Amino acid sequence: LLHGHTHDGRVGFLSSGLLAASTGSAAVRLDARPTEVPNQYQILQVSRDEFTTWARQYSPRQKRWIGDTRVSEEGDDWQVRFNYKLVDVGESLTVPLDYSRPHRVMFKGREYCYLPAGEAILGSRGERTETLGKTRRNQEEFATEVPQHRVPLSGFYLARHPVTNADYEIFIDETGYRIPYRDDVFSELYNWVRETRTYPEGRADHPVVLVTWGDALAYCEWLGGRLPTEAEWERAARGSGGREWPWGDDWELGRCNTAEAGIFDTSLVGQFSPQGDSAEGLSDMAGNVWEWCTSLWSPYPYRHDDGREDVARKGKRVHRGGAWDLPASIARSAFRGKADQDASGRTIGFRVAFSRFPQ
């Protein structure tokens, strides 16, 4: 919803899926008198491949909102569709990419968000973790977020969504890699079909689970990418300002799939988008499934050159983001999960990172 004429770039939520910005929606001409500026607003409906805009103005004579006659000669709503495509970096680039600013690109049919170089805020202050610790039996799990510190990061791309079953099936088919499967009652709903080597019915766009850290690494390397480091993941989830959750500092029901949502199962990737997205538009960074990072679990402060990013070493690896069976406090962007790198489960998935795309 575009309204006003202040050219204010700040954006706020009015309701789920509706953003409002005072961006200067009405203009007649530069020398217009105040009485000539209409009381007007615009609504832009944005989808993946197009957007539609409606321009409306208030009619004092009719005492109601009408189609903006200054825009449409017919006096009806102005509905114009603009087809657009994200730059597909798998093709020859016709538009240069600006690595100083956030942007999105398509690569092999999937969308990636670019996080520019800069400092990342990692961890939490001690008083915050002490407060959180009183809400859980295991208070020490929050203490690993201390101390809060800043680290410099190079620019990188991160997949907008976790890897789905449909994504992973392409990898399985092309490489003959083993299917996600565990012989226990808790995994029955998520197990792939052994005979057909296909994902469970109706779960094409759910995040793939039952994958080890090594499985996730193999998929990323097949695609030409990698897993994000722990620092990169936290930067992507928190934004440059160090948000508590991807959308802001206050918990709000309906923005992600945690235990509070009452789903108690994986959900479609993007089901809580855009209301649960990060500042750069990343989806599912809180809840749904844990996401593997390259990093070996080590105490903070984070250092990329202390051996924790050595993929040849064995040990517990960091996973981030919480999961569908855990509370909101665990889905916070600063929370540090860990598991043996050979572990797999119905709550662990991953997403892909790139420093730059192969050309």
Side-chain angles (χ1 to χ4, degrees), residues 181-191 203 209-210 264-266 324-325 344-347:
Y181 188 92
R182 280 183 51 158
D183 192 13
D184 63 73
V185 65
F186 300 107
S187 303
E188 288 179 356
L189 189 63
Y190 309 93
N191 278 333
R203 292 181 173 267
V209 293
L210 306 182
F264 297 110
D265 189 4
T266 60
W324 51 264
D325 62 339
S344 63
R346 57 184 178 155
T347 62

Side-chain angles (χ1 to χ4, degrees), residues 2-318:
L2 307 182
H3 63 92
H5 197 72
T6 60
H7 293 230
D8 187 341
R10 289 174 295 181
V11 176
F13 277 99
L14 289 185
S15 64
S16 177
L18 180 61
L19 301 171
S22 179
T23 58
S25 66
V28 183
R29 61 181 188 272
L30 292 177
D31 60 349
R33 295 190 299 273
T35 56
E36 294 180 309
V37 178
N39 188 3
Q40 185 226 42
Y41 68 89
Q42 293 176 15
I43 293 178
L44 277 71
Q45 185 176 35
V46 184
S47 67
R48 185 183 182 113
D49 299 312
E50 64 185 18
F51 67 87
T52 305
T53 181
W54 290 265
R56 306 283 286 170
Q57 69 170 343
Y58 187 77
S59 170
R61 182 176 61 82
Q62 301 181 44
K63 295 183 179 181
R64 66 185 182 91
W65 291 94
I66 62 173
D68 189 355
T69 55
R70 299 165 190 258
V71 173
S72 172
E73 294 180 359
E74 291 77 17
D76 202 356
D77 290 1
W78 181 40
Q79 300 182 29
V80 180
R81 283 182 166 80
F82 299 86
N83 291 324
Y84 70 91
K85 292 179 66 177
L86 294 171
V87 173
D88 191 329
V89 297
E91 303 171 357
S92 58
L93 290 175
T94 57
V95 179
L97 300 179
D98 183 357
Y99 293 115
S100 67
R101 303 181 63 182
H103 58 264
R104 299 182 192 176
V105 297
M106 296 293 292
F107 179 68
K108 295 189 175 180
R110 293 300 175 192
E111 194 171 348
Y112 291 82
C113 301
Y114 181 70
L115 292 303
E119 277 195 331
I121 298 173
L122 305 185
S124 301
R125 300 183 186 278
E127 56 269 25
R128 175 59 174 149
T129 61
E130 290 174 9
T131 301
L132 288 164
K134 296 176 182 179
T135 68
R136 299 275 291 176
R137 293 179 180 177
N138 183 8
Q139 298 183 15
E140 293 302 314
E141 62 187 354
F142 296 107
T144 63
E145 300 173 20
V146 178
Q148 188 173 84
H149 57 292
R150 294 174 178 265
V151 297
L153 292 178
S154 300
F156 65 99
Y157 288 94
L158 190 61
R160 189 178 180 203
H161 303 292
V163 173
T164 65
N165 283 308
D167 296 330
Y168 204 74
E169 186 180 50
I170 300 172
F171 166 64
I172 292 289
D173 290 344
E174 291 192 9
T175 64
Y177 200 83
R178 63 177 176 267
I179 62 171
Y181 188 92
R182 280 183 51 158
D183 192 13
D184 63 73
V185 65
F186 300 107
S187 303
E188 288 179 356
L189 189 63
Y190 309 93
N191 278 333
W192 285 42
V193 182
R194 285 175 164 176
E195 294 76 18
T196 58
R197 292 175 54 84
T198 54
Y199 52 78
E201 185 177 356
R203 292 181 173 267
D205 293 323
H206 285 239
V208 64
V209 293
L210 306 182
V211 288
T212 67
W213 177 84
D215 295 336
L217 198 67
Y219 177 93
C220 292
E221 291 175 348
W222 165 77
L223 198 63
R226 56 181 176 80
L227 288 171
T229 67
E230 178 180 17
E232 288 174 334
W233 194 100
E234 189 167 337
R235 157 64 183 92
R238 303 184 77 170
S240 58
R243 296 173 173 181
E244 190 89 340
W245 286 275
W247 57 84
D249 290 330
D250 297 318
W251 166 254
E252 295 181 47
L253 188 65
R255 292 186 183 268
C256 67
N257 180 10
T258 55
E260 290 84 354
I263 298 174
F264 297 110
D265 189 4
T266 60
S267 52
L268 294 168
V269 299
Q271 180 173 329
F272 291 87
S273 182
Q275 66 269 25
D277 289 355
S278 71
E280 284 83 14
L282 291 151
S283 174
D284 291 284
M285 296 295 282
N288 208 355
V289 294
W290 289 106
E291 298 179 10
W292 286 114
C293 299
T294 54
S295 313
L296 281 163
W297 195 94
S298 297
Y300 270 176
Y302 175 90
R303 286 186 56 188
H304 74 278
D305 58 354
D306 63 0
R308 71 179 74 201
E309 298 303 339
D310 185 352
V311 296
R313 291 176 60 185
K314 300 292 184 181
K316 293 186 181 297
R317 297 283 173 173
V318 173

